[in-house]
């Protein structure tokens, strides 16, 4: 669901390049303070039915075939052993995919988990706590793996996917700088289409579906 135009206007809008959309990106909205410690995506102006609101490439795309991260020819052999011992390939594969990002993108990804997020978002707090306890219990039972990787990042990456991850129809999971903040609505005024083939995979286009459009607040 897209909120009506923000009273703050376009000053806080993210640029097309800042969300990885490239020069062809469309950005007709902005992330604003929702007043409950979270953020919401709001329209910059009145939008008519069918108008593209946003195009965005995924910040991180996790392919459904997790072996490509854990058992690839050039993969660290410890990953497959860790995944088998952990009994959960998805969390470790997400961590490996995160490590493949450029350092700047890694910082942007981790920045989704704001310092005050858990204090204002009980769902995020519960997800992080469950991941933390699960990893701590695993390391107590398997102390030989404690120094293998940076487990704090495993916990954080898993938590970000748990709170902000979007599941695509092809089974892939993705994190988006903006689209990950757009929540389901029983009375939606916007919908998105996800690119499943071609490049970049997982790119999303958000467009207006309300016949009345999206009005000024």
């Amino acid at each position: 669901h897209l909120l009506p135009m923000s009273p703050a206007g376009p000053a806080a809008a993210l640029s097309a390049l800042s969300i990885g959309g490239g020069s062809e990106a469309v950005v007709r909205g902005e992330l604003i303070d929702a007043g409950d410690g979270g953020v919401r995506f709001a329209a910059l102006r009145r939008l008519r039915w069918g108008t593209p609101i946003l195009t965005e490439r995924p910040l991180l795309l996790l392919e459904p075939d997790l072996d490509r991260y854990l058992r690839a020819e050039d993969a660290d052999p410890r990953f497959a052993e860790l995944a088998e011992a952990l009994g959960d390939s998805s969390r470790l594969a997400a961590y490996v995919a995160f490590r493949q990002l450029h350092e700047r993108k890694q910082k942007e990804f981790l920045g989704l988990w704001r310092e005050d997020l858990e204090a204002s978002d009980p769902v995020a707090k519960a997800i992080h706590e469950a991941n933390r306890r699960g990893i701590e219990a695993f390391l107590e039972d398997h102390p030989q793996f404690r120094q293998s990787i940076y487990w704090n990042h495993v916990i954080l990456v898993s938590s970000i996917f748990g709170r902000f991850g979007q599941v695509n129809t092809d089974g892939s999971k993705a994190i988006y700088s903006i689209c990950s903040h757009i929540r389901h609505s029983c009375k939606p005024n916007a919908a998105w289409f996800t690119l499943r083939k071609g490049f970049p995979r997982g790119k999303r286009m958000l467009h207006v579906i309300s016949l009345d459009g999206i009005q000024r607040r």
Side-chain angles (χ1 to χ4, degrees), residues 3 6 19 38 49 59 63 67-69 77 84 94 121 127 158 172 178 185-186 192 197 209 211:
L3 296 179
S6 165
I19 62 169
W49 175 85
L59 180 57
E63 299 284 359
D67 281 349
R68 67 179 299 167
Y69 303 102
E84 185 174 350
D121 187 338
I127 290 173
S158 298
S172 63
I178 294 181
S185 172
C186 294
W192 57 44
K197 297 181 180 179
I209 62 172
L211 294 178

Side-chain angles (χ1 to χ4, degrees), residues 84-155:
E84 185 174 350
L86 189 61
D88 180 4
S89 298
S90 60
R91 281 190 284 190
L92 198 57
Y95 169 75
V96 174
F98 162 77
R99 288 289 304 273
Q100 294 173 351
L101 291 175
H102 185 277
E103 183 178 354
R104 178 177 61 84
K105 287 295 185 181
Q106 288 184 9
K107 291 181 179 179
E108 183 180 350
F109 181 91
L110 295 177
L112 289 172
W113 203 265
R114 307 184 316 276
E115 290 185 4
D116 62 342
L117 180 64
E118 293 176 58
S120 60
D121 187 338
V123 175
K125 181 178 181 180
I127 290 173
H128 188 272
E129 184 68 9
N131 281 317
R132 183 186 64 80
R133 288 182 177 180
I135 293 300
E136 287 182 354
F138 169 75
L139 293 177
E140 286 181 5
D141 294 337
H142 303 83
Q144 70 271 26
F145 294 126
R146 190 171 293 275
Q147 303 301 322
S148 298
I149 57 177
Y150 188 50
W151 289 101
N152 284 343
H153 273 177
V154 175
I155 295 170

Side-chain angles (χ1 to χ4, degrees), residues 16-67:
L17 294 179
S18 72
I19 62 169
S23 59
E24 80 285 1
V26 175
V27 183
R28 296 190 174 100
E30 63 179 344
L31 292 176
I32 63 171
D33 185 353
D36 58 0
V39 294
R40 296 292 186 271
F41 190 50
L44 290 175
R45 59 179 176 81
R46 183 177 181 275
L47 301 173
R48 298 181 182 277
W49 175 85
T51 302
I53 304 166
L54 169 74
T55 58
E56 183 180 15
R57 298 178 182 183
L59 180 57
L60 178 59
L61 181 74
L62 185 65
E63 299 284 359
D65 180 13
L66 303 182
D67 281 349

